[in-house]
Amino acid sequence: MSYLAHKFLSNCGGPVLRKGPRVLVEAFFKTKADLDTVLTQGLSFTDSTMIKPCEALSGNAQIKKVRLGKLPFMNQDKLVEAILQSIRLYGKVLDCGIYLDAESGLFMRNGFAVLDIQPIEGEQPFSEMAHVIPWCTTKK
């Protein structure tokens, strides 16, 4: 929190919310310039931790939590990128990732995504999600 207070003098607060292993910080910025800086550059800490923030959800957000199974074995960074590419047709991706085995740290072919499926005014509607969704075909 002291990082926010020193880096962004226009910050008007920031309560810390803990949800399991995740730590969330809710912050308000007086100036659009500070908000834009945080949203585009993120927050970098001296221990190489990077926080990529997002704006608060609208009151009419429609959040869907999706469990992903039978994911392919591949490099973890490319896998998360492929999940994003495959799932973004169904909503605005708020979060996604893969699960690792607690003991071994190995990828067990499962992941998750959190989507906001609220239609975006002036944009093409999101596709209806089915039980099985097609996997993107990347040649990277």
Side-chain angles (χ1 to χ4, degrees):
M1 294 308 301
S2 61
Y3 173 80
L4 281 176
H6 288 53
K7 178 139 176 128
F8 300 97
L9 300 176
S10 68
N11 180 11
C12 290
V16 176
L17 309 166
R18 298 185 189 283
K19 295 193 177 206
R22 290 195 167 175
V23 178
L24 306 172
V25 176
E26 185 177 354
F28 172 79
F29 297 93
K30 285 183 189 174
T31 69
K32 179 147 175 43
D34 280 350
L35 177 60
D36 290 344
T37 298
V38 171
L39 291 174
T40 56
Q41 297 176 12
L43 301 171
S44 298
F45 294 86
T46 54
D47 67 353
S48 298
T49 300
M50 167 64 90
I51 297 176
K52 296 181 180 178
C54 64
E55 289 189 71
L57 296 174
S58 67
N60 60 350
Q62 296 178 23
I63 306 303
K64 293 283 183 189
K65 296 177 183 178
V66 182
R67 182 176 180 270
L68 306 170
K70 299 182 182 177
L71 294 170
F73 287 111
M74 59 194 300
N75 174 288
Q76 289 182 12
D77 292 337
K78 290 186 181 204
L79 179 58
V80 172
E81 183 181 316
I83 291 170
L84 280 168
Q85 185 176 347
S86 296
I87 204 94
R88 69 176 170 213
L89 299 171
Y90 305 100
K92 179 180 176 185
V93 181
L94 304 175
D95 193 12
C96 77
I98 59 173
Y99 294 120
L100 304 177
D101 180 67
E103 289 183 27
S104 67
L106 295 173
F107 171 55
M108 304 303 287
R109 299 187 66 198
N110 295 311
F112 69 93
V114 180
L115 305 173
D116 181 357
I117 62 168
Q118 175 67 30
I120 299 172
E121 189 174 326
E123 293 189 21
Q124 182 175 348
F126 295 117
S127 299
E128 271 304 308
M129 187 172 287
H131 184 71
V132 177
I133 62 170
W135 185 251
C136 72
T137 55
T138 59
K139 296 185 180 183
K140 292 181 182 179

